[in-house]
Amino acid sequence: MTGPIELFSREHPAFVHVPLGLVVCLPFMIAAAYRSRYPQTWRRMALRVALVALGGGLLTMASGLYWGRLLNLIPAGRLLPVVSSQGQALQRTLRSHEVNALAGAVLGILCVLLLRRACREPGDARWTGACLLGTVLWAGTWGYVGKQGGVMVFGDAETNKAAAEAINAKKNDAEAELPLRALDYASLEPLQAAPFRSRAHGGREARSWVTASGSDALAAGRPLPVGAYAVLTTWTLGLPGPLHMREAKADGTQAFALYWPRVPEGERAAFGGEDSVYWRSPHPALEACAGCHAAGKARP
């Protein structure tokens, strides 16, 4: 059943039109104060409309934040999406969308203050002029935010190209969605007869599994040969923990992966607030793994 928060967030594209439409009207209302027989009436009406637009805009921003989290574009506990590469055109557009929306809200607060001052000092035309300039900037900023929202929904040349590249990359990558080889760790050779407690992996119970060539190399004290890989399965109180994988690449480097399809709520803070994790090199969170293994501190 859809809850009120989810329903509220999913209606973000509909909510956004109301405050944006009101803000677009403001410059015309303030301009009317110069030509109308009732300039003070127009200023007061503009102030009321600005207050409604600002309040509606803040609610719309909140719904957009929750919607981004529902779509897994914004990690839980964060206000902005994580952009780990330039190829993430959608995340970059969303980040700019949020920053510009916030800038518009700041302009909105400034315009409300200016309109209040203009209403209190109707004889000083400078305040009305400042209101006109401020509302034009406000409308322009939120108008651009709306344009960015349209790009995220309907796409443009950059986002469509990035989406096509991501689809092609997944077609050529059998493990783009799931770490297939790591999940088949039972077909590998175990390095330990029984699980051991690994301090380097959260103090969890762990057991190592290695390809045949890798097992021979590790037994002889040599590093993993090219193409070999090792998998570390972990448990906590009998519940499955993250699955770790290390692979020796042809260029002499090591690639790492971490897979945890259901992260317990109490441990999500350490995983960027995500409830499901599949990280692969060069994910920045795996740099610590590379450093630990390079220093020879990690167990197999």
Side-chain angles (χ1 to χ4, degrees), residues 87 89-90 157-169:
L90 183 61
E158 183 181 14
T159 56
N160 290 339
K161 179 182 178 182
E165 289 176 350
I167 292 173
N168 290 331

Side-chain angles (χ1 to χ4, degrees), residues 187-212:
S187 67
L188 307 179
E189 296 187 14
L191 286 185
Q192 301 88 19
F196 64 94
R197 186 170 298 278
S198 175
R199 293 183 179 179
H201 299 89
R204 299 181 175 87
E205 293 292 316
R207 197 175 182 190
S208 306
W209 310 78
V210 190
T211 52

Side-chain angles (χ1 to χ4, degrees), residues 223-228 246-256 290 293-294:
L224 286 175
V226 172
R246 175 167 62 104
E247 181 178 6
K249 308 296 287 186
D251 60 2
T253 63
Q254 296 186 94
F256 296 86
H293 281 275

